[in-house]
Structure formats: structure tokens, C-alpha cells
């Protein structure tokens, strides 16, 4: 049986949260996704995320972790030009400098 976990602000929000839950190994279903066109007539929580009741506590914790994570998580600063890049990138998109080895996800400037 499914249980509602999260009332999304919009469809993109629902998909982002579902992606996080799925990366944690928790299946999630979005309900109300196609109702966004009539949002002026519908309640704001028309789009929501549902998970299996047996995994609800685990899903709740994963959601809390996601919503409480610092916004700069997974960022590093280029030692050459000072640009901020996502941790998934191995080089700076601005100047092409390689990501420093010690920039494993912190956002502080590195010394090269």
C-alpha cells in the first residue's frame, strides 16, 4: 500500500525528490503530475510523491536529509579562476583547469 510522503510545490520539485529517493534505493510514484495545467483551479498540493508504506520511515529520513543538506554540497572552487563547479566535473568549465585532488566536495578554495 502506498502512503503520501511529500506534497510537491510543482512537477519539477516532485521529480527532483523522486530522483533522490530512487538514488537511495526507494521507489516513489508521482501522483497528480498531469494536473499542473489546471493549477489555478486545484489545491497547491495536487502533485505529490507516494512511497510504499513499508519503506515510509526510510523515505522520510532520506527526504529530511535532502531538504536539510547545505546548498553548496558537492561544489569545488577552481584554483586558477575562482569559478565554482559541481563535484561531478573533473575540470573547470570556465578555464579548463583540472579539479584539485583535495577538492573532494568541499567548496573552499584550493591551493594548487
Amino acid at each position: 500500500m502506498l502512503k503520501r510522503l511529500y506534497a510537491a510545490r510543482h512537477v519539477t520539485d516532485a521529480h527532483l525528490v523522486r530522483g533522490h529517493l530512487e538514488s537511495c534505493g526507494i521507489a516513489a510514484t508521482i501522483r497528480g503530475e498531469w494536473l499542473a495545467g489546471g493549477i489555478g483551479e486545484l489545491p497547491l498540493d495536487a502533485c505529490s510523491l507516494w512511497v510504499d508504506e513499508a519503506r515510509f520511515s526510510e523515505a522520510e529520513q532520506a527526504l529530511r536529509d535532502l531538504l536539510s543538506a547545505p546548498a553548496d554540497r558537492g561544489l569545488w572552487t577552481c584554483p586558477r579562476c575562482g569559478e565554482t563547479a559541481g563535484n561531478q566535473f573533473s575540470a573547470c568549465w570556465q578555464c579548463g583547469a583540472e579539479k584539485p585532488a583535495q577538492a573532494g566536495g568541499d567548496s573552499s578554495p584550493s591551493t594548487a
Side-chain angles (χ1 to χ4, degrees):
M1 177 175 224
L2 296 178
K3 185 173 179 181
R4 187 170 95 165
L5 172 70
Y6 181 68
R9 294 171 298 198
H10 44 74
V11 175
T12 304
D13 182 35
H15 279 276
L16 290 170
V17 173
R18 182 178 72 177
H20 176 71
L21 292 173
E22 288 177 349
S23 75
C24 295
I26 303 166
T29 301
I30 298 174
R31 291 188 179 170
E33 178 175 11
W34 304 113
L35 298 174
I39 203 70
E41 303 292 324
L42 299 171
L44 292 177
D45 64 351
C47 186
S48 56
L49 239 65
W50 295 68
V51 297
D52 189 297
E53 196 169 2
R55 302 210 53 200
F56 188 80
S57 295
E58 184 182 355
E60 245 183 346
Q61 184 59 51
L63 179 61
R64 273 194 299 273
D65 293 346
L66 174 67
L67 297 178
S68 66
D72 67 349
R73 175 180 68 168
L75 300 178
W76 60 276
T77 302
C78 176
R80 186 186 301 163
C81 71
E83 186 62 46
T84 301
N87 202 32
Q88 71 272 27
F89 299 108
S90 60
C92 175
W93 69 271
Q94 178 73 17
C95 71
E98 290 295 315
K99 174 182 168 182
Q102 68 270 27
D106 81 30
S107 59
S108 59
S110 311
T111 55

